[in-house]
Amino acid sequence: MRKLFAATALSVLIPATASAQSLSVCVFDVIGANGDVFNVMKDYALEVKSFGVTLDLKPYTDEGVAVGDFNAGQCDAVAATDLRTRPFNKFTGSISAVGALPSYENLETLLATLAQPRAAQFMTSEGYEVLGIFPVGAGYLFVNDRSINTAGALAGKRMATLEYQRDAIHMVNYVKATVVPSDITNFAGKFNNGSVDTAYAPAFAYEALELYKGIEPNGGVVEYPLAQLTVQLIARDGILDDEQAQKAREAAWGMHSQIMNLIESQEAAIPDNKWIRIPDNDIVGYQEMFRENRLEMRDGVNSAPSVYDARMLKLMANIRCASNPGAAECTADNRE
């Protein structure tokens, strides 16, 4: 079913370089050259070398500096989270739309679809091209109090929120929590020292950023994927020819199983008693709440910024409904 969907899903959306290339790449990894993202990019560099592309990887622990250096021409490409790369490609930048991919199976279907040659036209935008998309894991809510296990319980709580992530700011305001402006370099410290009540991060942050300190003694990790976060490799359009660019995207997709094994080991490293389970009935309500917010952030209504690409939202909705056709959203009048 997943392969069949990946082969057909794009149909609902579609209305000069040398043979060998050397690219400098600014790579954001909050841990630096010893981090998992940088190691994934080293493996990726070996893959693309087989078809004539050599990557010179430069590690950055500050994502803003990495993107800034790319903008300034200090590197030919940048590998950073889709939260930062969204301005370069709104379509792929919408993969992390809140609640849009509730399972890793949904994410796998999407990335398989985007790796097809037919998707190449969506990989270029405003003079930039996506050369690879790499999952970094679902984003979970880390809380310092286990009673913060419903949307209602978030009211009045202080939430570390990336100041450039306009959709997250909208969601925090929607649940009547308090935005505490942060960035990737300091949100963990704010959570761990008690300056905020909640933080949002993939499972790797439990150990790598020591978020286990912030959840002690009475907190935990809410076991519901708020979004699927990715690192995207962005280059200036035309730096690779079309064939090389497509091979680069396929090389990234070819690493999917390897990367998912790493993500699963990171999630397994969180002790079982630290996870906070949500009742199935509550999840249905959250999914509809997230969907309503995605529509607002697609259309820019009710004070929401317009940050999501309608084509990507439609594609992800089709994936969800292919895996769960009985969901209420699949027959809603205002389907994405």
Side-chain angles (χ1 to χ4, degrees):
M1 170 64 75
R2 187 178 304 135
K3 290 181 179 179
L4 177 62
F5 189 92
T8 60
L10 286 166
S11 62
V12 302
L13 300 179
I14 294 176
T17 313
S19 59
Q21 282 283 70
S22 178
L23 276 65
S24 60
V25 185
C26 296
V27 180
F28 166 68
D29 188 314
V30 71
I31 305 301
N34 294 319
D36 291 330
V37 171
F38 197 81
N39 285 330
V40 164
M41 292 306 299
K42 288 195 291 187
D43 290 345
Y44 175 72
L46 294 176
E47 297 291 330
V48 299
K49 195 167 187 176
S50 67
F51 52 85
V53 178
T54 299
L55 302 184
D56 175 21
L57 306 177
K58 303 177 180 180
Y60 287 73
T61 56
D62 188 313
E63 190 172 32
V65 174
V67 174
D69 279 3
F70 171 63
N71 284 330
Q74 297 300 309
C75 43
D76 301 312
V78 62
T81 65
D82 54 30
L83 307 179
R84 279 283 195 184
T85 63
R86 189 177 288 160
F88 302 116
N89 189 306
K90 189 175 180 180
F91 179 76
T92 59
S94 298
I95 291 173
S96 59
V98 60
L101 293 169
S103 72
Y104 285 135
E105 289 77 12
N106 290 165
L107 174 66
E108 181 179 355
T109 300
L110 175 67
L111 296 185
T113 302
L114 298 183
Q116 295 178 54
R118 290 184 69 197
Q121 61 184 294
F122 301 106
M123 299 299 108
T124 58
S125 176
E126 304 294 333
Y128 299 95
E129 183 165 16
V130 180
L131 298 181
I133 304 174
F134 309 86
V136 293
Y140 298 105
L141 194 66
F142 287 72
V143 298
N144 62 6
D145 185 339
R146 295 182 73 88
S147 68
I148 308 175
N149 60 355
T150 67
L154 288 168
K157 301 300 182 183
R158 300 161 299 170
M159 299 186 68
T161 311
L162 301 181
E163 50 196 347
Y164 49 84
Q165 192 181 359
R166 294 185 296 162
D167 50 343
I169 292 171
H170 178 71
M171 274 300 306
V172 174
N173 289 331
Y174 184 89
V175 298
K176 297 181 172 56
T178 300
V179 170
V180 178
S182 308
D183 62 40
I184 286 182
T185 64
N186 64 28
F187 83 93
K190 290 181 179 182
F191 181 65
N192 291 339
N193 68 23
S195 297
V196 297
D197 302 301
T198 71
Y200 163 73
F204 88 87
Y206 179 81
E207 290 191 351
L209 301 183
E210 301 182 334
L211 293 189
Y212 58 84
K213 294 180 178 178
I215 66 174
E216 293 297 338
N218 301 314
V221 186
V222 179
E223 192 180 29
Y224 183 81
L226 297 177
Q228 297 290 348
L229 303 176
T230 64
V231 162
Q232 300 189 9
L233 180 62
I234 308 292
R236 289 172 183 82
D237 189 15
I239 200 164
L240 297 182
D241 64 38
D242 290 347
E243 181 180 0
Q244 286 178 319
Q246 179 57 32
K247 286 182 177 179
R249 289 188 287 271
E250 291 171 0
W253 163 242
M255 296 175 63
H256 184 78
S257 295
Q258 167 193 337
I259 297 171
M260 289 308 303
N261 287 338
L262 174 62
I263 291 170
E264 288 168 6
S265 69
Q266 292 166 343
E267 296 190 351
I270 299 178
D272 189 66
N273 65 353
K274 299 302 181 183
W275 290 101
I276 301 171
R277 271 78 187 190
I278 299 178
D280 290 343
N281 289 341
D282 289 349
I283 289 175
V284 173
Y286 292 146
Q287 289 173 337
E288 179 58 22
M289 178 183 74
F290 291 144
R291 190 179 77 89
E292 291 173 357
N293 273 267
R294 289 195 301 272
L295 291 173
E296 290 183 358
M297 288 183 278
R298 177 194 68 186
D299 301 332
V301 298
N302 296 332
S303 300
S306 178
V307 295
Y308 295 153
D309 186 287
R311 300 166 302 171
M312 176 57 77
L313 292 188
K314 182 177 182 180
L315 177 56
M316 294 191 290
N318 287 342
I319 290 172
R320 292 193 304 275
C321 288
S323 64
N324 184 20
E329 68 162 311
C330 302
T331 56
D333 292 336
N334 60 342
R335 279 198 64 184
E336 291 167 87

